[in-house]
Amino acid sequence: MLRSCVLCCAGLITAGLAGSAEDYRLSGPFTHDNLTIFLIHSPEPQPHHDYLTLEQALDQEKVVVYETGNVNELSIENLSAKAVYVNSGDIVKGGQQDRVFPDDYVLPPMSGKVPISSFCVEPGRWTRRGSERADRFASSTDGLPTNALKLAARQKRDQGEVWKEVAAARQELAETVNRTDGTHLGVGSGGGVGGVASQSAVEVHGFSPPLVASTSMAVTVQAQPVVDATRAYIKDLSKIVKGQDVVGYAFAINGKLNSADIYASPELFRSMWPKLLKASAVEAVAERQKESKSATPDAGLVRALFAATDQGRQSSKEIASRLEIVMKETGTAVLFESRDRKDGSWIHKSYVVKDRLN
């Protein structure tokens, strides 16, 4: 492996991605504590589609996500003249229980109500929470923070597995935060009615006195001890995205390659960057005291991930009327690629490593 200082001095590293006509480059590494990021550059990005992200559209009240009473399907309506982009892993907070959208989704302007697949990420609640509305969802400021959760929702598509990984992620955060600053982040468990998890579906190994009573993944990552623990990561790394050609990033935790996300345009990536970085920081905090940090991974490992996964075993499925999700899988990673069926262009490539590489 090349040493981190050598990579820093080298600056931009040319790296063609297998199966792509674009000439990607990697820059970095950029490191804070146990989180290392490589930025992905494209000199010839695809034409920009002027999307609103789901977070932006909810903040501007230009999209409504409705509760349906069905754990695994909500309704969504675009009230604006712009298309709305839902990123796979977007969590929506509110309704009868918080949900996550497992797939990329493009909602056309003035769409009317349309169904959208979802999974519960809050076992135990099936009622209004505080002042929130029970019939709709108010915000989407967070994304799924761990590889296991991403694969449970996007590949396995199993609600029981999602609940299991929500519990595991909350437990890891609780243990890390408790060891780090002495505060306590409760993990809790679910009930068993109205589509919520039973104790057997959510196995919690160990217990910490509660800071938050909720079993929500979103409430957990918004708890003050977690916010405090991720603040330095976000402050140190949020401004690394410079220039007009950055379309994605790859990251490693404790020296092991974790995931990568590439978008068709720099504009879409910049819109998603704060949410992506926050999720990566949350996962880094959860993993911080699991094992000692290893050497920074070589950029060649990122290239190898792209090259191998792009040639993986392929399957596909249609999403609504416009998108197709192409999945390519190897023994070590899965690529989820969303494509516009109208013109064949891709919107988002998400590489998820099954067992982190180093």
Side-chain angles (χ1 to χ4, degrees), residues 2 25 90 94 96 103 114 121 126 140 242 291:
L2 295 177
R25 300 177 295 148
D90 276 350
Q96 299 275 44
D103 305 306
V114 295
V121 286
W126 193 249
S140 178
K242 299 175 181 178
E291 53 188 297

Side-chain angles (χ1 to χ4, degrees), residues 339-353:
R339 297 178 182 173
D340 190 327
R341 292 204 310 277
K342 291 183 179 179
D343 59 15
S345 62
W346 62 272
I347 298 171
H348 177 206
K349 295 182 180 182
S350 176
Y351 297 81
V352 182
V353 178

Side-chain angles (χ1 to χ4, degrees), residues 24-26 38-42 245-250 262 306:
Y24 289 91
R25 300 177 295 148
L26 302 181
F38 293 92
L39 294 179
I40 301 168
H41 303 249
S42 174
D245 65 344
V246 182
V247 292
Y249 81 126
I262 309 173
F306 294 150

Side-chain angles (χ1 to χ4, degrees), residues 173-226:
L173 281 167
E175 291 175 353
T176 302
V177 169
N178 290 350
R179 286 195 302 266
T180 301
D181 64 7
T183 59
H184 298 286
L185 180 65
V187 292
S189 62
V193 295
V196 296
S198 66
Q199 177 63 29
S200 61
V202 182
E203 298 179 5
V204 180
H205 304 289
F207 178 75
S208 297
L211 173 66
V212 290
S214 172
T215 59
S216 162
M217 189 75 252
V219 171
T220 298
V221 301
Q222 293 170 11
Q224 194 60 49
V226 178

Side-chain angles (χ1 to χ4, degrees), residues 108-280:
M110 307 303 294
S111 65
K113 281 189 181 182
V114 295
I116 184 169
S117 296
S118 63
F119 287 103
C120 167
V121 286
E122 186 183 8
R125 179 171 73 92
W126 193 249
T127 186
R128 174 178 172 173
R129 178 175 54 205
S131 61
E132 295 175 346
R133 294 183 59 165
D135 64 339
R136 62 185 61 188
F137 297 79
S139 62
S140 178
T141 60
D142 294 290
L144 288 182
T146 73
N147 276 13
L149 255 174
K150 294 171 188 175
L151 291 173
R154 297 165 67 183
Q155 184 187 34
K156 296 178 182 177
R157 306 189 75 83
D158 183 297
Q159 181 62 76
E161 286 294 314
V162 173
W163 278 326
K164 175 184 173 183
E165 298 303 337
V166 165
R170 296 185 69 248
Q171 178 68 23
E172 289 178 352
L173 281 167
E175 291 175 353
T176 302
V177 169
N178 290 350
R179 286 195 302 266
T180 301
D181 64 7
T183 59
H184 298 286
L185 180 65
V187 292
S189 62
V193 295
V196 296
S198 66
Q199 177 63 29
S200 61
V202 182
E203 298 179 5
V204 180
H205 304 289
F207 178 75
S208 297
L211 173 66
V212 290
S214 172
T215 59
S216 162
M217 189 75 252
V219 171
T220 298
V221 301
Q222 293 170 11
Q224 194 60 49
V226 178
V227 172
D228 291 343
T230 57
R231 182 177 291 112
Y233 288 89
I234 294 169
K235 181 180 179 181
D236 201 22
L237 297 170
S238 61
K239 296 180 180 179
I240 64 174
V241 178
K242 299 175 181 178
Q244 301 300 313
D245 65 344
V246 182
V247 292
Y249 81 126
F251 72 96
I253 294 174
N254 295 329
K256 296 183 178 181
L257 188 60
N258 183 296
S259 300
D261 286 274
I262 309 173
Y263 294 85
S265 72
E267 293 85 357
L268 183 55
F269 172 65
R270 284 197 297 271
S271 293
M272 292 303 308
W273 174 236
K275 183 182 282 189
L276 294 168
L277 176 58
K278 182 180 179 182
S280 299

